[in-house]
Amino acid sequence: MIRVGSVVLRVDDLPRQTEFWSAALDYVPREGPSDDDFVLLRPRGGVGPNLSLDRHDSAVHLPPRIHLDLYADDQAAEVKRLQALGATEVHWDKRPPDADYIILADPEGNRFCVVDAS
Amino acid sequence: MIRVGSVVLRVDDLPRQTEFWSAALDYVPREGPSDDDFVLLRPRGGVGPNLSLDRHDSAVHLPPRIHLDLYADDQAAEVKRLQALGATEVHWDKRPPDADYIILADPEGNRFCVVDAS
């Protein structure tokens, strides 16, 4: 048995990224020993992969080889909420006008999509 | 409501990566219209995020900003199985000898970890 247990994101500012992603996904830090360089966030409701934040030098490359698609019931409301948390919208010249996704970047410039799943 | 719906991986060889990742995770293509440049894989058992394979130019950068941790009940057996599917082990000089993870790379060089979750 094997499963996608966690998505690991390298970060520069661990407290800032912990704050953003916890609020973005409604995730909470895992109980147990803490580490100045690593935080494992898990879904508060228990469903879904963990998100591991790992303080390590690693440049942001665009376009990213791997990114997250977040599925939203209310895409417009979620985009607004994420922007209030510190995300910024990314305007991509190849995005079709009828695309079901909106591209955002987290506070460190990691791009992700908010997909209309309604 | 928002959730990690899919991890999106850009690929060069879509059939090869579809074959590898389907077998690696026991995922199946989503029903519906197919696309020569995009495959959405979902867990056969229905639990866990999707994996989207998107044919697009995008270089592999090391170390990766984002990678997957796969949680395995039998780490040694899973590593052997994944190697038979086309993964290769990556030897990283900073890996602690007692690390609970083994680093592999998929057929296109995307690194991921197999974590001992037993």
Side-chain angles (χ1 to χ4, degrees):
Chain A
M1 290 292 295
I2 199 167
R3 64 191 173 89
V4 177
S6 191
V7 177
V8 186
L9 174 62
R10 290 186 167 199
V11 303
D12 298 316
D13 185 335
L14 187 60
R16 178 73 186 95
Q17 287 287 69
T18 299
E19 182 185 6
F20 175 80
W21 282 105
S22 297
L25 296 172
D26 193 24
Y27 274 32
V28 292
R30 179 174 59 175
E31 299 79 4
S34 63
D35 184 321
D36 285 348
D37 290 326
F38 186 84
V39 170
L40 192 145
L41 300 174
R42 62 172 182 78
R44 188 190 303 272
V47 177
N50 299 326
L51 182 70
S52 306
L53 304 176
D54 190 18
R55 193 152 69 83
H56 251 292
D57 288 337
S58 173
V60 174
H61 292 281
L62 300 176
R65 186 81 179 171
I66 299 184
H67 73 262
L68 293 180
D69 272 0
L70 307 185
Y71 290 2
D73 291 334
D74 184 339
Q75 185 185 40
E78 288 296 339
V79 166
K80 196 171 171 184
R81 188 181 67 84
L82 292 163
Q83 286 175 315
L85 293 173
T88 50
E89 186 165 356
V90 175
H91 296 280
W92 185 41
D93 57 6
K94 293 180 186 166
R95 180 181 176 276
D98 61 346
D100 64 353
Y101 57 86
I102 292 171
I103 308 172
L104 299 182
D106 77 7
E108 295 194 345
N110 299 294
R111 293 183 181 178
F112 61 98
C113 291
V114 180
V115 178
D116 179 3
S118 65
Chain B
M1 289 291 295
I2 199 166
R3 63 192 175 90
V4 177
S6 191
V7 178
V8 186
L9 175 62
R10 292 189 163 196
V11 304
D12 299 315
D13 184 336
L14 186 60
R16 178 73 187 95
Q17 287 287 69
T18 299
E19 183 186 4
F20 175 80
W21 282 105
S22 297
L25 296 174
D26 192 25
Y27 273 31
V28 293
R30 181 175 56 174
E31 299 79 4
S34 64
D35 184 321
D36 286 348
D37 290 326
F38 186 84
V39 171
L40 191 144
L41 300 173
R42 62 172 181 79
R44 188 190 303 273
V47 177
N50 298 326
L51 182 70
S52 306
L53 303 176
D54 189 19
R55 193 153 67 85
H56 252 293
D57 288 338
S58 172
V60 173
H61 292 280
L62 299 176
R65 186 80 179 172
I66 298 184
H67 74 261
L68 292 181
D69 273 0
L70 307 184
Y71 290 2
D73 291 333
D74 185 337
Q75 184 186 40
E78 289 295 339
V79 166
K80 195 171 172 184
R81 188 180 68 83
L82 292 162
Q83 285 175 316
L85 293 173
T88 50
E89 186 166 352
V90 175
H91 296 280
W92 184 41
D93 57 7
K94 292 179 188 167
R95 180 180 176 275
D98 60 347
D100 65 353
Y101 58 86
I102 292 171
I103 308 172
L104 299 181
D106 77 7
E108 294 195 343
N110 299 294
R111 294 183 181 178
F112 61 97
C113 292
V114 180
V115 178
D116 180 4
S118 63

